[in-house]
Amino acid sequence: MGVKKKKSMQVAALTICHQDRETLRSFADREGKNLASLLLHCVQLTDGVSQICSIKQIVLLLEKKDKNDMCDPLIQSCLDILAGIYLSLSLKNPLKKVLASSLNGLPEFLMTEAVSSFTCRLQEELNTTDLYSYRKVFDNVSSCIENFNLGRESINKLLENVLHFLQKSLIEILEENRKFTGNHIVQTQLMNDLLVGIRVSMMLIQKVHSFQGNFWKTSSTPLWQSMCGLLSIFTKFLSDDDLLQTIQSTSGLAVTLFIKTMFDPPEKIPVLMSSLLLCSVDRTSTPEWFMNSCRSVCCAEVSGSALLFLCQGALAMLDWQSGSMGLPGEALLLDIAKVLFTLSSRIKETTLEMFLSRILTSWTTSAIYVLESSSPSLKNSLNGNSGIVERLLEYVYTHWEHPLDALRHQTKIIFTNLLQMHQLTMEGADLDNDPFLLGLTQSILQLEWHVKGKYICLGCLVERIGIEHILAVDKTIPSQILEVMGDQSLVPYASDLLETMFKNHKSHLKSQAADNTWIDQLHETWISPLLLILCEGNLNQKSYVIDYYLPKLLNCSPQSLSYMVKILQTSADAKIGKNMIFRFKQSFPSLGSCHNRGALGALMACLRTARAHGHLQSATDTWQSLVSSARIKQGLIHQHHQVRIDSLGLLCESNRSTELVSTEEMELIQFFITYNLNNQSPGVRQQICSLLKKLFCRIQESSQVLYKLERNVSRHELEIKLPRQHPSVCLQEYKNFMSSICSTLFEALFPGSSYPTRFSALTILDSIVDVFPVPEGKIQTVYQLSHDVDTGRFQKLLECFTSTFEEVKSLAFDLLMKLTKTVVPFQDSEKQQGLFQAALELSTSTKPHDCVTASYLLNFLIWRDALPSSLLGCLQTQQATCRDADKSASVVERNTLMVLKCLLKNLEAEVAQAEKSLLQAAVSFPMYGRVHCITGALQKLPLK
């Protein structure tokens, strides 16, 4: 695995205008050490990261100044230029944050001058008339407010101007947006600018302390007039369906925030919001400024989206947690619910449906806050038997299988909050026998298991009221859920629900019991049905249970593994038909068959999953305490291929890549390979090769740990860390094991061996070459295949070229290419000439697969630089003319050229013969073999 390179930070360099640059030059000293010189040097840098360091040094120098320097024109000019630099930087430039953070630490006596500089520069920004520069001004205003003391003070001084700018800019951007109707690119940019402008306006209200008093709440003040103007703009945005819904949504928040800030007295705000939502605003008792600013939402016909976003604003911006709104707040909460339920039946657009679900979720959260300190009347209105809860349940039932995943998630939160609301209304009552909860549980359980929402709601009920109430209704729930695990679409829901139920039941039983007998009840309820599915379920059920549910169960209760193993071993030992420890009427097939995995298959699957997830500490302990080697052997040669795969996976897979491979494991792997190379299923062969490669990787990784221990640790320490045996002994065992494996694999390559056997053996040998590389530097390799390849084994690999299956030829060729050159057991010209001559003869064979063999053989000779010397003699004349050019060519290119010339020369002769008699050419020397060899040689050549 390669090391991921750390990305270097990209920071755009800051620049200043020519006038500021000249100002700095006029103040700079010759030594280049005063403030102006440092700042001039900073702006001349082209690297933003270097400028960050320079800015910190400049501010550090400012901090060292004393009160006598307050009137120094150098400091005033530098502060002015720093203000200009800050406002010129983009919002995302790290330099902006660094500068703000540094300037926050200025001495108090410099703050006044700094605020004055920032105020002047910011005023220049606010005076801009370029509509497409408004976004930059918005960003500067927001950055000044956010965690920047100087900026916030400047905003306070210019608050009227900032509000006026926001009002003007929002109106102009809206008009510009209308001009570009149909130009989606420009409109998208303008609408994003509108959105940022609204958010900046809200940020001003929330973070600038000038709004905390009442002095500005006079209709004659410019501040108040700007506030009314902005409120009017936001209400228009709220009702304008031509704008993006995110703009409407944010406008709804802004309208509520402005009303909350501007309206007096505050205790009447809930009543005002209720009348606004119910379209029943009393014009006679409502302030004139409110009617003028909110005219578009005070009329009788307000769009559904406007009402929806007003509800969102009321829930998000009003204080529901403190209980300060009292009874009017409770009435507003009920009115919001009424409006939302009305809108849920009217809204059909998907995006608005998504907004509605989030707002309903927000409503239930607010209701929980209010119920914690509410009046009895509100509790009566929100208990489980109330109309509001009934409507919420109806909403959940109709939307829990909505196509949008996010909306389904909201229904889950709504259902969870709904249960909490009911519990708060019934505080002090006995929830165990609560009619609402019992009836709700019963109604959900009566639904069909193909309803996905059933799983979500049951999970919420379990977390809220406990599993014991559900099991009291029906004890077979675990079995029923496991039965549907064959449907892939339901598997994630079912496995999550089973995990939730299992955890809850375990926690409940553990808290109630005085001893360890509780675990027997847990196993009877949850483990026994699981084992029944693993033994007798259909293929899909078993696969999905093993992949999805079994790991979760073992993570929740690792101690249950020994119980599962005990039961399954007892079942595997029993005869078919005998009554088992399981408390079921039927028994399980003991060892299984080619069509059924049986108890043995379930046992191997459980053990494999447990080991892969780290619930078995070591293989040796497993064989001694849980299952015998004889039992593993039964699995390794089982009639059902999945049992064999699971048994092999148990041996090969581990959650630790450096876990030592035990002697028992090596013996069992050797046993498996002996009987499983000739598997007829391509999928099974692939799994076998993949698992064995995992084992080889573990051997390689653990051997590196052993080498390190051997080098760095004393013998006494080794005895403590590895009490069983010395690292050198383990390494020798590894080497012997790998040699034994390779011997078995080469023996399987005998002449006449089947295609599956050859494919498996060659693939495994190829994995060995890949996993155990040639030693380089300090890396040591415990095994090298090339050391065990003698003349006989080399000959077997060459004989694989004669196979009628091209996959076998390809695998053999790739393996020979990966072996080091020292493996090639022949160097004399007679053997080279013999192989080359055989390849030429095969290239003219009438059997199609012979020319493929010839192509692979010729390519092998080319790439191994094993061409006969006679070939050079044959082409001596041609080579003499191009010897100088060949000096710079690679060996492969030279050899390819020789072979191509030889083949083309023979082909020319055969073409001449074919021109005389096509029939004789087809019978004696068909030319397609030569052509195939030529294309094969060119295909292997790296032409790039």
Side-chain angles (χ1 to χ4, degrees):
M1 187 175 180
V3 178
K4 189 176 182 180
K5 291 183 179 179
K6 188 177 180 180
K7 291 184 178 179
S8 58
M9 184 169 62
Q10 300 294 324
V11 181
L14 60 86
T15 57
I16 59 175
C17 65
H18 177 73
Q19 182 180 347
D20 288 342
R21 196 181 292 266
E22 290 302 316
T23 302
L24 289 176
R25 284 199 179 101
S26 66
F27 285 110
D29 60 355
R30 292 183 179 180
E31 293 80 12
K33 292 184 179 180
N34 73 348
L35 197 60
S37 300
L38 290 175
L39 190 50
L40 183 61
H41 172 70
C42 176
V43 298
Q44 287 173 343
L45 293 170
T46 57
D47 176 26
V49 177
S50 301
Q51 286 181 331
I52 287 177
C53 301
S54 184
I55 286 289
K56 290 180 179 179
Q57 291 177 352
I58 291 165
V59 176
L60 198 61
L61 192 59
L62 275 171
E63 290 173 0
K64 292 178 181 179
K65 299 293 180 182
D66 55 29
K67 293 183 179 180
N68 297 326
D69 298 318
M70 283 179 61
C71 299
D72 188 349
L74 166 62
I75 293 179
Q76 293 174 356
S77 297
C78 287
L79 286 173
D80 182 63
I81 291 170
L82 284 172
I85 288 172
Y86 180 83
L87 296 173
S88 69
L89 294 169
S90 68
L91 191 63
K92 294 182 179 180
N93 193 323
L95 269 166
K96 200 177 189 82
K97 291 183 180 178
V98 170
L99 191 54
S101 176
S102 301
L103 290 173
N104 274 339
L106 282 179
E108 192 65 33
F109 62 86
L110 284 179
M111 288 296 285
T112 304
E113 187 62 40
V115 168
S116 176
S117 298
F118 263 84
T119 303
C120 291
R121 292 281 186 162
L122 186 57
Q123 183 60 60
E124 292 175 12
E125 292 274 309
L126 295 173
N127 291 336
T128 184
T129 56
D130 181 12
L131 184 141
Y132 290 94
S133 296
Y134 289 167
R135 173 62 180 271
K136 180 173 173 287
V137 183
F138 291 158
D139 290 342
N140 276 327
V141 171
S142 67
S143 64
C144 284
I145 299 170
E146 196 75 34
N147 300 322
F148 186 28
N149 300 332
L150 277 177
R152 199 175 293 116
E153 287 298 322
S154 303
I155 294 293
N156 268 319
K157 286 197 167 190
L158 296 171
L159 187 57
E160 290 181 11
N161 295 346
V162 172
L163 287 172
H164 177 72
F165 169 79
L166 287 170
Q167 184 181 355
K168 178 194 75 162
S169 58
L170 291 174
I171 292 171
E172 290 181 12
I173 293 172
L174 183 63
E175 289 301 320
E176 186 78 2
N177 180 66
R178 286 173 179 160
K179 290 178 186 177
F180 284 94
T181 302
N183 190 331
H184 300 300
I185 295 175
V186 176
Q187 279 195 308
T188 299
Q189 179 188 344
L190 291 169
M191 287 197 191
N192 283 329
D193 293 347
L194 274 181
L195 187 60
V196 173
I198 299 168
R199 287 173 177 168
V200 171
S201 304
M202 293 171 65
M203 193 184 296
L204 272 175
I205 302 299
Q206 292 170 314
K207 298 197 175 184
V208 174
H209 56 73
S210 297
F211 291 104
Q212 294 175 4
N214 290 324
F215 70 91
W216 58 277
K217 295 184 179 180
T218 306
S219 59
S220 60
T221 62
L223 193 63
W224 179 264
Q225 291 172 1
S226 294
M227 289 285 287
C228 290
L230 283 171
L231 178 58
S232 176
I233 291 170
F234 297 148
T235 54
K236 289 176 182 176
F237 287 175
L238 182 64
S239 305
D240 190 345
D241 290 334
D242 292 331
L243 297 175
L244 293 174
Q245 286 176 344
T246 49
I247 293 176
Q248 291 182 284
S249 170
T250 310
S251 296
L253 299 175
V255 166
T256 309
L257 178 62
F258 271 63
I259 292 172
K260 177 185 173 183
T261 307
M262 298 170 69
F263 194 84
D264 267 336
E267 54 269 18
K268 289 189 177 181
I269 291 174
V271 178
L272 178 67
M273 291 302 299
S274 287
S275 63
L276 200 59
L277 292 171
L278 298 174
C279 301
S280 59
V281 177
D282 185 1
R283 302 190 179 193
T284 58
S285 60
T286 305
E288 185 181 353
W289 66 265
F290 182 85
M291 293 304 301
N292 291 335
S293 301
C294 302
R295 191 177 305 279
S296 59
V297 291
C298 290
C299 60
E301 295 182 4
V302 181
S303 67
S305 60
L307 282 175
L308 183 65
F309 296 131
L310 274 176
C311 290
Q312 181 187 24
L315 292 168
M317 291 300 167
L318 299 182
D319 185 9
W320 299 99
Q321 296 188 41
S322 65
S324 59
M325 291 191 289
L327 292 176
E330 294 179 6
L332 173 60
L333 186 72
L334 297 176
D335 288 338
I336 291 173
K338 181 180 177 182
V339 172
L340 290 175
F341 291 138
T342 303
L343 291 173
S344 68
S345 59
R346 289 166 47 187
I347 289 175
K348 302 301 178 185
E349 189 183 342
T350 305
T351 51
L352 285 179
E353 276 190 310
M354 192 66 245
F355 274 111
L356 176 62
S357 69
R358 289 184 185 138
I359 296 166
L360 267 176
T361 302
S362 178
W363 183 91
T364 57
T365 304
S366 300
I368 290 170
Y369 291 139
V370 176
L371 282 170
E372 290 174 352
S373 59
S374 67
S375 64
S377 62
L378 182 68
K379 290 183 178 180
N380 289 333
S381 299
L382 297 181
N383 66 30
N385 299 314
S386 66
I388 289 178
V389 170
E390 186 179 339
R391 293 292 300 273
L392 283 173
L393 281 173
E394 182 184 339
Y395 180 85
V396 170
Y397 295 155
T398 54
H399 290 84
W400 61 12
E401 292 200 24
H402 195 277
L404 286 178
D405 182 61
L407 200 147
R408 293 198 304 272
H409 179 68
Q410 295 299 326
T411 60
K412 178 182 178 181
I413 300 173
I414 291 169
F415 188 81
T416 303
N417 289 348
L418 179 152
L419 295 176
Q420 190 176 351
M421 284 164 52
H422 176 73
Q423 284 185 314
L424 288 169
T425 61
M426 304 298 291
E427 194 172 359
D430 180 18
L431 291 176
D432 291 346
N433 298 310
D434 182 74
F436 168 72
L437 293 176
L438 291 175
L440 183 61
T441 304
Q442 189 71 44
S443 63
I444 291 175
L445 286 175
Q446 287 175 352
L447 296 170
E448 295 293 333
W449 284 106
H450 69 266
V451 179
K452 294 173 184 175
K454 177 175 181 176
Y455 300 88
I456 296 170
C457 290
L458 278 179
C460 297
L461 279 169
V462 168
E463 290 174 347
R464 185 58 55 185
I465 65 174
I467 184 62
E468 60 276 6
H469 299 291
I470 294 175
L471 291 177
V473 177
D474 190 347
K475 287 186 177 181
T476 65
I477 293 293
S479 299
Q480 293 178 39
I481 300 173
L482 286 166
E483 282 293 332
V484 303
M485 289 285 281
D487 186 344
Q488 189 177 17
S489 63
L490 298 175
V491 167
Y493 300 93
S495 60
D496 286 346
L497 177 59
L498 284 168
E499 181 187 18
T500 302
M501 288 180 162
F502 183 85
K503 282 182 178 178
N504 188 276
H505 199 202
K506 179 185 176 183
S507 177
H508 172 73
L509 292 174
K510 199 172 182 179
S511 64
Q512 297 293 319
D515 51 26
N516 288 331
T517 55
W518 61 270
I519 201 166
D520 295 332
Q521 185 179 348
L522 185 76
H523 288 161
E524 181 182 351
T525 305
W526 302 98
I527 306 298
S528 295
L530 167 69
L531 297 181
L532 179 62
I533 290 293
L534 290 179
C535 291
E536 295 199 332
N538 61 47
L539 179 60
N540 286 340
Q541 283 178 323
K542 292 177 184 178
S543 300
Y544 294 140
V545 165
I546 292 168
D547 292 342
Y548 287 85
Y549 177 50
L550 187 56
K552 294 179 179 179
L553 185 145
L554 290 173
N555 285 333
C556 298
S557 179
Q559 65 269 36
S560 298
L561 178 63
S562 57
Y563 171 82
M564 296 164 71
V565 171
K566 178 183 175 183
I567 294 296
L568 290 171
Q569 288 210 89
T570 305
S571 180
D573 289 334
K575 293 181 179 179
I576 298 176
K578 184 178 179 181
N579 187 28
M580 307 305 302
I581 291 179
F582 291 107
R583 301 180 183 182
F584 300 106
K585 292 182 180 179
Q586 71 273 32
S587 59
F588 307 129
S590 57
L591 294 179
S593 64
C594 60
H595 302 296
N596 195 313
R597 303 184 200 180
L600 182 60
L603 174 63
M604 293 300 113
C606 290
L607 288 172
R608 178 188 182 183
T609 303
R611 188 173 189 194
H613 289 81
H615 301 301
L616 297 179
Q617 294 303 316
S618 70
T620 303
D621 294 338
T622 302
W623 314 149
Q624 291 175 354
S625 61
L626 286 177
V627 64
S628 65
S629 296
R631 182 75 70 197
I632 304 294
K633 283 187 176 181
Q634 283 182 324
L636 292 172
I637 55 173
H638 196 273
Q639 294 180 37
H640 197 288
H641 67 81
Q642 189 58 49
V643 180
R644 296 198 297 277
I645 292 297
D646 286 337
S647 304
L648 180 63
L650 169 61
L651 299 172
C652 297
E653 293 177 326
S654 173
N655 66 315
R656 292 190 298 117
S657 62
T658 57
E659 182 182 341
L660 293 178
V661 181
S662 68
T663 305
E664 291 88 344
E665 283 179 295
M666 289 188 273
E667 290 173 354
L668 290 167
I669 292 290
Q670 183 70 56
F671 174 79
F672 174 86
I673 290 177
T674 305
Y675 294 100
N676 286 277
L677 289 178
N678 190 29
N679 195 290
Q680 302 301 308
S681 169
V684 174
R685 289 198 300 271
Q686 191 64 40
Q687 289 183 73
I688 290 171
C689 296
S690 175
L691 288 170
L692 287 174
K693 188 169 185 178
K694 287 184 181 180
L695 177 79
F696 300 148
C697 289
R698 223 174 93 210
I699 289 175
Q700 173 65 4
E701 293 291 327
S702 60
S703 69
Q704 299 307 304
V705 176
L706 291 171
Y707 280 124
K708 188 175 180 181
L709 282 171
E710 196 175 33
R711 286 193 305 268
N712 302 333
V713 186
S714 66
R715 179 173 293 276
H716 175 69
E717 290 174 315
L718 281 173
E719 289 175 357
I720 297 173
K721 292 189 176 185
L722 293 170
R724 292 199 178 109
Q725 53 192 2
H726 194 276
S728 60
V729 177
C730 293
L731 290 168
Q732 187 58 45
E733 281 190 357
Y734 279 175
K735 186 174 182 180
N736 294 341
F737 168 67
M738 293 306 303
S739 293
S740 176
I741 289 287
C742 290
S743 296
T744 303
L745 295 173
F746 276 110
E747 286 172 9
L749 297 176
F750 61 88
S753 59
S754 66
Y755 163 73
T757 300
R758 287 193 174 190
F759 178 89
S760 300
L762 289 169
T763 305
I764 297 169
L765 285 169
D766 188 67
S767 297
I768 292 172
V769 175
D770 289 340
V771 171
F772 299 98
V774 177
E776 293 180 4
K778 294 183 179 180
I779 298 176
Q780 294 174 277
T781 304
V782 70
Y783 179 72
Q784 281 284 285
L785 178 62
S786 57
H787 296 164
D788 279 346
V789 178
D790 54 16
T791 305
R793 291 179 176 179
F794 173 78
Q795 189 62 37
K796 285 186 175 182
L797 291 176
L798 281 180
E799 286 173 359
C800 289
F801 286 162
T802 63
S803 171
T804 54
F805 295 92
E806 187 165 359
E807 272 187 308
V808 173
K809 300 177 196 284
S810 178
L811 286 168
F813 178 82
D814 291 341
L815 183 57
L816 283 167
M817 290 298 99
K818 290 176 183 178
L819 294 172
T820 59
K821 288 187 178 181
T822 55
V823 171
V824 181
F826 63 94
Q827 298 296 334
D828 60 284
S829 58
E830 289 186 9
K831 290 184 178 179
Q832 294 174 355
Q833 179 64 39
L835 281 174
F836 184 73
Q837 194 59 42
L840 290 179
E841 290 177 4
L842 286 170
S843 68
T844 58
S845 170
T846 55
K847 297 178 181 178
H849 62 84
D850 282 346
C851 68
V852 179
T853 300
S855 176
Y856 277 102
L857 192 53
L858 285 172
N859 275 320
F860 170 72
L861 295 173
I862 289 169
W863 284 79
R864 279 292 177 223
D865 194 21
L867 292 171
S869 55
S870 59
L871 185 60
L872 295 172
C874 292
L875 301 176
Q876 188 173 3
T877 306
Q878 293 91 327
Q879 282 196 332
T881 61
C882 60
R883 187 169 295 157
D884 292 335
D886 285 343
K887 286 179 182 179
S888 61
S890 69
V891 173
V892 171
E893 290 171 341
R894 182 200 65 194
N895 291 344
T896 304
L897 181 62
M898 290 180 184
V899 170
L900 289 177
K901 285 182 176 180
C902 179
L903 289 171
L904 286 170
K905 183 180 178 181
N906 291 334
L907 188 61
E908 286 175 1
E910 288 162 358
V911 168
Q913 291 289 333
E915 288 175 348
K916 298 177 181 178
S917 172
L918 279 174
L919 182 61
Q920 187 179 358
V923 173
S924 304
F925 40 85
M927 289 174 284
Y928 64 81
R930 304 278 196 201
V931 175
H932 181 82
C933 291
I934 291 170
T935 56
L938 290 172
Q939 284 172 351
K940 292 288 183 184
L941 197 64
L943 298 176
K944 290 183 180 180

